[in-house]
Amino acid sequence: MGTVYEGESSGAGLRMAIVVARFNERITSSLLEGACGALRRAGVAEDDIDIAWVPGAWEIPVAAGWFARAGRYDAVICLGAVIRGGTPHFDYVAGEALAGAAALARETGTPVTAGILTTDTTEQAVERAGVKHGNKGADAAAAAVEMATLRRHMGNVAADAGA
Ligand code: INI
């Protein structure tokens, strides 16, 4: 058996960045609350959480890129809510936001996690922002802590891969 690498749920000492979309702000501010609460519970210091608000999910990848390329953050958490109801460009906005976040993580090697809701209705989004089905912002924050600590543990492997 070779080495088994795992991340941790404790985020003490990590520096985290959050990008949150203002579109559907009632929902995204609940995602933000969920994410900040999860980071605090993981032991991330309040001063080590930087937040950037962007107009909508479409703009998330570019601001997330500014954070990821700054070299100062252990992970970037992306939060947004794209709701289908009557939006002809739902698929483009949702697809580009998620694909952009994924591409950024691969390009920079910095963990980028997605708490970007893509739902048919506002009700479904509300349910995933802290009501019935947990809080996807908190889930994205927990995933960011796990990936950031995994990256630290995998330091040598990541360095060999140029990440
Ligand atoms: N942005 C969202 O974050 N969620 C949406 O549901 C949404 N809809 O429905 O259109 C949305 N559109 C705005 C988009 O993200 C950009 O901010 C806008 O197109 C300006 O570039």
Side-chain angles (χ1 to χ4, degrees):
M1 167 75 84
T3 310
V4 176
Y5 297 99
E6 272 190 283
E8 294 165 28
S9 54
S10 166
L14 294 179
R15 288 211 56 166
M16 302 302 239
I18 301 177
V19 180
V20 56
R22 192 167 283 115
F23 206 103
N24 294 317
E25 186 169 352
R26 190 166 67 89
I27 292 158
T28 61
S29 51
S30 297
L31 295 173
L32 180 62
E33 251 177 63
C36 289
L39 292 179
R40 270 195 299 274
R41 285 193 298 282
V44 178
E46 200 81 47
D47 286 349
D48 288 334
I49 305 171
D50 289 344
I51 299 168
W53 283 91
V54 295
W58 179 267
E59 284 79 23
I60 287 175
V62 71
W66 293 330
F67 275 137
R69 292 190 193 92
R72 267 187 286 136
Y73 299 96
D74 294 290
V76 183
I77 299 157
C78 300
L79 304 176
V82 192
I83 300 171
R84 189 180 296 274
T87 299
H89 59 302
F90 169 90
D91 291 311
Y92 296 106
V93 173
E96 288 298 326
L98 288 163
L104 183 64
R106 287 194 298 268
E107 178 212 318
T108 62
T110 298
V112 180
T113 65
I116 301 174
L117 300 175
T118 54
T119 61
D120 287 330
T121 65
T122 301
E123 193 191 0
Q124 288 168 345
V126 169
E127 285 172 356
R128 287 159 181 75
V131 181
K132 263 195 211 159
H133 298 291
N135 184 308
K136 297 297 173 197
D139 293 351
V145 169
E146 181 173 347
M147 285 300 290
T149 50
L150 175 63
R151 188 187 191 196
R152 286 195 175 176
H153 293 319
M154 292 186 70
N156 296 339
V157 181
D160 288 348

